[in-house]
Amino acid sequence: MDARIGLEYIIENNDYVNKLGLALDTNNVTVKKQIFELLSTLCAFSANGYKRAIETLEHYKSIKGERYRLNLVVSELDKATAVEYQIALLAFVNCVIISAGSLKERIRMRNEFIGMAVMLQQQLAFGTLVDCCASPQIMVNDVFFDDASELSSLDEGEGPTEKYVEGLNLIPVLNNLRRTASSAPDIASQLEVFDEQQECDLSQSLQVPDGIDLNSHLDVFNAILAQVAGTPQATPFLSILQHLLQIDPKEQISDIVWDTAETLVHR
């Protein structure tokens, strides 16, 4: 009961976002481990708790002048040597993905971690993505969250406003951890949760007509081209592609351009 009251207090007081974000700017591994454990608990506690956890990463990104809000998580996991800290970081990765709620948001968050440029929409011209995966049980600070009502479920429009997906490359970091997972059962367990949820989400995302792989840039492009070929839409489609070709991914403004483009086509 006391823990729940404490979490609700943090959620209700936005000042804690700034405090936690500033506290992450330290070389003290113990402090960072405790903060990530708290953020994991917030993610699993409620939708508003999830929002506060994301805002904390956004604030850290802002004060450090970084480009990607999840860069801290991946870079810390890459250089971490303490097993307990590695476990805390992996648990946070799983919590922030699983607690995103809908299939679309889970895939979006995972793609942001692994650096893929594919962002699946919940509803496309090819069909609707139906979320049928049961969320696996999450353990944070020795507390299990397995009731769907206890996991955050973000409504449309309440999710993260940024969808930056370039350059984080979590998968190589996870592969390095797999080499030592046999001697660290808790690390192996967190990796298993990540893999199982990814496989489950992938199997759902592929349940669309005509065998289109929505995780394949080429498949989606060819499907759109086939739809508009020989129609009046072919000309504006080509024009859109020509404009997109001019966007330099090395420029930070490109993040805003792509984010705006996604928002417009998703409406």
PDB file of all heavy atoms in Angstrom, residues 68 71 74 112-116 165-170:
ATOM      1  N   TYR A  68      18.398  11.305 -29.196  1.00  0.00           N
ATOM      2  CA  TYR A  68      17.435  10.232 -28.980  1.00  0.00           C
ATOM      3  C   TYR A  68      17.170  10.030 -27.494  1.00  0.00           C
ATOM      4  O   TYR A  68      18.102   9.926 -26.694  1.00  0.00           O
ATOM      5  CB  TYR A  68      17.946   8.920 -29.591  1.00  0.00           C
ATOM      6  CG  TYR A  68      18.318   9.057 -31.048  1.00  0.00           C
ATOM      7  CD1 TYR A  68      19.646   8.955 -31.454  1.00  0.00           C
ATOM      8  CD2 TYR A  68      17.341   9.309 -31.999  1.00  0.00           C
ATOM      9  CE1 TYR A  68      19.985   9.090 -32.794  1.00  0.00           C
ATOM     10  CE2 TYR A  68      17.671   9.451 -33.333  1.00  0.00           C
ATOM     11  CZ  TYR A  68      18.992   9.339 -33.732  1.00  0.00           C
ATOM     12  OH  TYR A  68      19.320   9.485 -35.049  1.00  0.00           O
ATOM     13  N   ASN A  71      18.688   6.782 -25.965  1.00  0.00           N
ATOM     14  CA  ASN A  71      20.127   6.572 -26.124  1.00  0.00           C
ATOM     15  C   ASN A  71      20.798   6.224 -24.802  1.00  0.00           C
ATOM     16  O   ASN A  71      21.690   5.373 -24.747  1.00  0.00           O
ATOM     17  CB  ASN A  71      20.767   7.824 -26.722  1.00  0.00           C
ATOM     18  CG  ASN A  71      22.251   7.641 -26.979  1.00  0.00           C
ATOM     19  OD1 ASN A  71      22.649   6.835 -27.808  1.00  0.00           O
ATOM     20  ND2 ASN A  71      23.077   8.373 -26.242  1.00  0.00           N
ATOM     21  N   VAL A  74      20.354   2.405 -23.927  1.00  0.00           N
ATOM     22  CA  VAL A  74      21.159   1.494 -24.737  1.00  0.00           C
ATOM     23  C   VAL A  74      22.649   1.662 -24.444  1.00  0.00           C
ATOM     24  O   VAL A  74      23.385   0.675 -24.321  1.00  0.00           O
ATOM     25  CB  VAL A  74      20.882   1.712 -26.238  1.00  0.00           C
ATOM     26  CG1 VAL A  74      21.752   0.791 -27.087  1.00  0.00           C
ATOM     27  CG2 VAL A  74      19.411   1.467 -26.548  1.00  0.00           C
ATOM     28  N   GLU A 112      12.100   1.714 -31.961  1.00  0.00           N
ATOM     29  CA  GLU A 112      12.917   2.847 -31.528  1.00  0.00           C
ATOM     30  C   GLU A 112      14.188   2.357 -30.834  1.00  0.00           C
ATOM     31  O   GLU A 112      15.254   2.948 -30.980  1.00  0.00           O
ATOM     32  CB  GLU A 112      12.104   3.738 -30.584  1.00  0.00           C
ATOM     33  CG  GLU A 112      12.779   5.044 -30.245  1.00  0.00           C
ATOM     34  CD  GLU A 112      11.867   5.994 -29.489  1.00  0.00           C
ATOM     35  OE1 GLU A 112      10.636   5.804 -29.520  1.00  0.00           O
ATOM     36  OE2 GLU A 112      12.401   6.926 -28.859  1.00  0.00           O
ATOM     37  N   PHE A 113      14.072   1.268 -30.108  1.00  0.00           N
ATOM     38  CA  PHE A 113      15.242   0.692 -29.445  1.00  0.00           C
ATOM     39  C   PHE A 113      16.202   0.045 -30.436  1.00  0.00           C
ATOM     40  O   PHE A 113      17.415   0.230 -30.341  1.00  0.00           O
ATOM     41  CB  PHE A 113      14.807  -0.377 -28.433  1.00  0.00           C
ATOM     42  CG  PHE A 113      14.587   0.137 -27.041  1.00  0.00           C
ATOM     43  CD1 PHE A 113      13.331   0.077 -26.455  1.00  0.00           C
ATOM     44  CD2 PHE A 113      15.631   0.663 -26.301  1.00  0.00           C
ATOM     45  CE1 PHE A 113      13.120   0.536 -25.168  1.00  0.00           C
ATOM     46  CE2 PHE A 113      15.434   1.127 -25.012  1.00  0.00           C
ATOM     47  CZ  PHE A 113      14.172   1.063 -24.440  1.00  0.00           C
ATOM     48  N   ILE A 114      15.668  -0.727 -31.358  1.00  0.00           N
ATOM     49  CA  ILE A 114      16.548  -1.534 -32.203  1.00  0.00           C
ATOM     50  C   ILE A 114      16.979  -0.818 -33.464  1.00  0.00           C
ATOM     51  O   ILE A 114      17.768  -1.343 -34.245  1.00  0.00           O
ATOM     52  CB  ILE A 114      15.902  -2.890 -32.556  1.00  0.00           C
ATOM     53  CG1 ILE A 114      14.652  -2.704 -33.415  1.00  0.00           C
ATOM     54  CG2 ILE A 114      15.566  -3.657 -31.288  1.00  0.00           C
ATOM     55  CD1 ILE A 114      13.976  -4.018 -33.779  1.00  0.00           C
ATOM     56  N   GLY A 115      16.459   0.402 -33.689  1.00  0.00           N
ATOM     57  CA  GLY A 115      16.949   1.198 -34.797  1.00  0.00           C
ATOM     58  C   GLY A 115      16.329   0.875 -36.128  1.00  0.00           C
ATOM     59  O   GLY A 115      16.854   1.245 -37.170  1.00  0.00           O
ATOM     60  N   MET A 116      15.193   0.183 -36.153  1.00  0.00           N
ATOM     61  CA  MET A 116      14.515  -0.098 -37.410  1.00  0.00           C
ATOM     62  C   MET A 116      13.726   1.124 -37.846  1.00  0.00           C
ATOM     63  O   MET A 116      13.246   1.891 -37.034  1.00  0.00           O
ATOM     64  CB  MET A 116      13.552  -1.282 -37.257  1.00  0.00           C
ATOM     65  CG  MET A 116      14.241  -2.601 -37.019  1.00  0.00           C
ATOM     66  SD  MET A 116      13.061  -3.903 -36.645  1.00  0.00           S
ATOM     67  CE  MET A 116      12.067  -3.884 -38.138  1.00  0.00           C
ATOM     68  N   VAL A 165      13.949   6.516 -34.622  1.00  0.00           N
ATOM     69  CA  VAL A 165      14.284   5.103 -34.631  1.00  0.00           C
ATOM     70  C   VAL A 165      15.687   4.821 -35.153  1.00  0.00           C
ATOM     71  O   VAL A 165      16.099   3.686 -35.218  1.00  0.00           O
ATOM     72  CB  VAL A 165      13.271   4.315 -35.492  1.00  0.00           C
ATOM     73  CG1 VAL A 165      11.905   4.379 -34.873  1.00  0.00           C
ATOM     74  CG2 VAL A 165      13.225   4.859 -36.915  1.00  0.00           C
ATOM     75  N   GLU A 166      16.417   5.842 -35.559  1.00  0.00           N
ATOM     76  CA  GLU A 166      17.706   5.620 -36.175  1.00  0.00           C
ATOM     77  C   GLU A 166      18.807   5.587 -35.130  1.00  0.00           C
ATOM     78  O   GLU A 166      18.847   6.394 -34.223  1.00  0.00           O
ATOM     79  CB  GLU A 166      17.991   6.747 -37.177  1.00  0.00           C
ATOM     80  CG  GLU A 166      19.352   6.644 -37.831  1.00  0.00           C
ATOM     81  CD  GLU A 166      19.733   7.936 -38.508  1.00  0.00           C
ATOM     82  OE1 GLU A 166      19.040   8.932 -38.292  1.00  0.00           O
ATOM     83  OE2 GLU A 166      20.733   7.936 -39.221  1.00  0.00           O
ATOM     84  N   GLY A 167      19.726   4.635 -35.269  1.00  0.00           N
ATOM     85  CA  GLY A 167      20.992   4.742 -34.590  1.00  0.00           C
ATOM     86  C   GLY A 167      21.148   4.142 -33.215  1.00  0.00           C
ATOM     87  O   GLY A 167      22.223   4.234 -32.647  1.00  0.00           O
ATOM     88  N   LEU A 168      20.121   3.518 -32.615  1.00  0.00           N
ATOM     89  CA  LEU A 168      20.290   2.990 -31.264  1.00  0.00           C
ATOM     90  C   LEU A 168      20.854   1.572 -31.272  1.00  0.00           C
ATOM     91  O   LEU A 168      21.694   1.226 -30.461  1.00  0.00           O
ATOM     92  CB  LEU A 168      18.958   3.032 -30.512  1.00  0.00           C
ATOM     93  CG  LEU A 168      18.440   4.445 -30.227  1.00  0.00           C
ATOM     94  CD1 LEU A 168      17.162   4.384 -29.419  1.00  0.00           C
ATOM     95  CD2 LEU A 168      19.478   5.275 -29.497  1.00  0.00           C
ATOM     96  N   ASN A 169      20.348   0.720 -32.158  1.00  0.00           N
ATOM     97  CA  ASN A 169      20.925  -0.616 -32.352  1.00  0.00           C
ATOM     98  C   ASN A 169      21.059  -1.418 -31.063  1.00  0.00           C
ATOM     99  O   ASN A 169      22.160  -1.780 -30.636  1.00  0.00           O
ATOM    100  CB  ASN A 169      22.288  -0.505 -33.039  1.00  0.00           C
ATOM    101  CG  ASN A 169      22.179   0.044 -34.450  1.00  0.00           C
ATOM    102  OD1 ASN A 169      21.261  -0.313 -35.184  1.00  0.00           O
ATOM    103  ND2 ASN A 169      23.092   0.918 -34.828  1.00  0.00           N
ATOM    104  N   LEU A 170      19.939  -1.715 -30.458  1.00  0.00           N
ATOM    105  CA  LEU A 170      19.941  -2.492 -29.221  1.00  0.00           C
ATOM    106  C   LEU A 170      20.341  -3.946 -29.450  1.00  0.00           C
ATOM    107  O   LEU A 170      20.953  -4.566 -28.576  1.00  0.00           O
ATOM    108  CB  LEU A 170      18.540  -2.432 -28.587  1.00  0.00           C
ATOM    109  CG  LEU A 170      18.312  -3.284 -27.339  1.00  0.00           C
ATOM    110  CD1 LEU A 170      19.180  -2.793 -26.187  1.00  0.00           C
ATOM    111  CD2 LEU A 170      16.840  -3.271 -26.943  1.00  0.00           C
TER     112      LEU A 170
END
